[in-house]
Amino acid sequence: MLHVSPKETESNENNQAKPGDFNFLKVIGKGSFGKVLLAKRKHDDEFYAVKVLQKKAILKKKEEKHIMSERNVLLKNVKHPFLVGLHYSFQTADKLYFVLDYINGGELFYHLQRERCFLEPRARFYAAEIASALGYLHSLNIVYRDLKPENILLDHHGHIILTDFGLCKENIEPKGTTCTFCGTPEYLAPEVLHKQPYDRTVDWWCLGAVLYEMLYGLPPFYSRNTAEMYDNILNKPLQLKPNISNAARELLEGLLQKDRTKRLGAKEDFNEIKAHVFFSPINWVDLNAKKLMPPFNPNVSGPSDLQHFDPEFTEEPVPNSIGKSLDNALITASIKEASDAFLGFSYAPPIDSFL
């Protein structure tokens, strides 16, 4: 047990984490601005996923607003069972660190690739947990905008955990819209492709696309040729093969409705999804309390079990620079500019939340 002197508990600042508090063990993922590592906190041997981002790369692409937005959204997630939680965020001269829940049941994408498609009860369970997470974000006036199987993780029991909040848009009121063209090609809603203002129903389109992929093995309007795929999303009617129930068919038609004003969720948001007949077997109170038995158990033996991570990541050596900061002598003007760009990034939980 770490002994904390009264002095150290006086302020939140003294509770700040730093790179030297962790042993970085394995690379478990990669993004556009850095890597995700499995790390163990030295003083209590707790495991975390630490997302390490290069400030230089973020500034070069002018993405600092998205990163700050990701931090703000992460701070609001703590209260939801299907959203990844933030423990600390901190920065060094050249890097940003997010210390997150460590989830090691694998990406939904990984399991879907392995099994090609899921049976309807399993797809329903995942879709319900995802919808619950999206409904919660919407209740905070946050639109997620990047739902895809790579951003959906399974925890060690087999529950859904939504991750990666870099494209979230905050402060979108129930009837509010936004215009930024962003997302992943296969899952883009028609209104985003049309570069029209769009609202929170964009997330329900993506839920439809992910549910379709879980049931059929490919996204709904998929083509290897991106231009053709965009044309399909905009113009091709939704075609559903007969091997799914009428309830699933009706839900997919409602979610993958090209006109967002007629889409399921356009009037009552999450309440419309929840009330759909496809979800009638789901008790939503039990679902949110994680009382429903997941249809699949990832069978991980413990935190060091990395069987569900891509060996392409886990076999990569951990960069030496991850846990170190630049020497003060190397701090250049561009690094000073970087520290101004991320003011207020650091976060530590209030001391009393540990008691």
Side-chain angles (χ1 to χ4, degrees):
M1 180 67 193
L2 182 77
H3 175 70
V4 182
S5 70
K7 233 184 182 154
E8 282 168 16
T9 60
E10 278 168 13
S11 86
N12 211 13
E13 277 174 33
N14 292 337
N15 188 27
Q16 274 298 352
K18 54 191 182 302
D21 295 346
F22 299 90
N23 284 320
F24 293 92
L25 309 173
K26 283 280 182 188
V27 178
I28 52 174
K30 265 189 200 161
S32 13
F33 304 117
K35 293 182 163 59
V36 183
L37 293 110
L38 169 60
K40 198 181 202 180
R41 193 160 56 182
K42 291 173 183 173
H43 84 73
D44 61 2
D45 286 347
E46 283 289 319
F47 286 92
Y48 295 96
V50 182
K51 191 169 173 175
V52 184
L53 307 174
Q54 303 289 342
K55 288 183 180 177
K56 207 165 56 182
I58 296 164
L59 292 170
K60 196 172 165 189
K61 288 198 168 170
K62 298 188 167 52
E63 290 282 341
E64 51 272 42
K65 271 205 183 82
H66 278 158
I67 300 297
M68 292 306 285
S69 173
E70 177 167 16
R71 173 208 170 274
N72 298 343
V73 173
L74 276 164
L75 277 184
K76 295 171 184 168
N77 281 356
V78 202
K79 312 239 176 349
H80 199 274
F82 309 126
L83 294 171
V84 78
L86 177 72
H87 295 268
Y88 297 95
S89 53
F90 54 90
Q91 54 182 308
T92 59
D94 55 333
K95 294 185 193 71
L96 299 173
Y97 295 77
F98 285 115
V99 180
L100 304 161
D101 292 331
Y102 168 54
I103 311 293
N104 68 339
E107 291 176 358
L108 193 68
F109 179 70
Y110 166 85
H111 294 291
L112 196 48
Q113 273 198 321
R114 246 183 17 179
E115 300 183 40
R116 215 185 63 74
C117 57
F118 299 148
L119 293 174
E120 216 168 281
R122 182 171 175 187
R124 174 175 20 249
F125 177 86
Y126 294 153
E129 291 195 337
I130 296 163
S132 170
L134 292 173
Y136 175 73
L137 290 173
H138 291 179
S139 76
L140 301 175
N141 292 337
I142 294 165
V143 184
Y144 182 65
R145 301 201 293 190
D146 198 22
L147 189 70
K148 55 184 175 184
E150 292 90 327
N151 286 346
I152 302 164
L153 307 177
L154 295 188
D155 71 10
H156 60 288
H157 294 300
H159 290 286
I160 286 295
I161 302 286
L162 211 51
T163 182
D164 204 337
F165 302 91
L167 290 186
C168 282
K169 182 74 175 173
E170 300 174 276
N171 307 318
I172 299 290
E173 303 286 327
K175 293 281 169 258
T177 60
T178 183
C179 302
T180 322
F181 184 87
C182 68
T184 300
E186 291 89 322
Y187 307 95
L188 289 174
E191 60 270 27
V192 178
L193 280 174
H194 271 310
K195 300 196 166 62
Q196 294 166 341
Y198 57 89
D199 58 15
R200 48 184 67 183
T201 55
V202 75
D203 284 342
W204 301 127
W205 170 278
C206 292
L207 177 67
V210 168
L211 176 59
Y212 183 103
E213 186 170 359
M214 287 194 281
L215 293 169
Y216 290 122
L218 277 176
F221 299 99
Y222 185 73
S223 163
R224 281 190 179 156
N225 175 326
T226 307
E228 188 182 324
M229 182 163 67
Y230 286 170
D231 187 58
N232 291 346
I233 291 171
L234 293 175
N235 303 308
K236 194 177 175 185
L238 179 67
Q239 291 165 338
L240 298 172
K241 294 190 214 75
N243 58 337
I244 58 171
S245 68
N246 286 340
R249 171 180 296 271
E250 195 187 281
L251 178 62
L252 288 172
E253 285 167 349
L255 293 171
L256 293 168
Q257 159 63 253
K258 293 185 198 293
D259 178 347
R260 70 176 171 88
T261 63
K262 296 181 184 154
R263 192 171 299 151
L264 189 69
K267 295 186 186 73
E268 300 286 318
D269 200 53
F270 175 46
N271 287 333
E272 279 180 67
I273 315 297
K274 218 157 80 165
H276 193 277
V277 61
F278 178 73
F279 290 117
S280 55
I282 298 282
N283 176 322
W284 291 90
V285 175
D286 286 353
L287 181 96
N288 282 337
K290 290 190 172 177
K291 284 183 180 164
L292 301 186
M293 172 74 86
F296 165 80
N297 184 337
N299 282 323
V300 286
S301 58
S304 54
D305 185 341
L306 302 172
Q307 60 170 312
H308 298 303
F309 290 105
D310 192 328
E312 179 204 331
F313 302 136
T314 54
E315 286 166 9
E316 195 178 299
V318 173
N320 284 333
S321 62
I322 289 286
K324 298 190 180 75
S325 184
L326 287 175
D327 186 323
N328 281 346
L330 294 171
I331 293 186
T332 60
S334 69
I335 282 174
K336 289 202 172 68
E337 175 209 340
S339 67
D340 292 343
F342 301 101
L343 284 174
F345 175 81
S346 298
Y347 160 77
I351 293 283
D352 58 11
S353 74
F354 289 125
L355 300 179

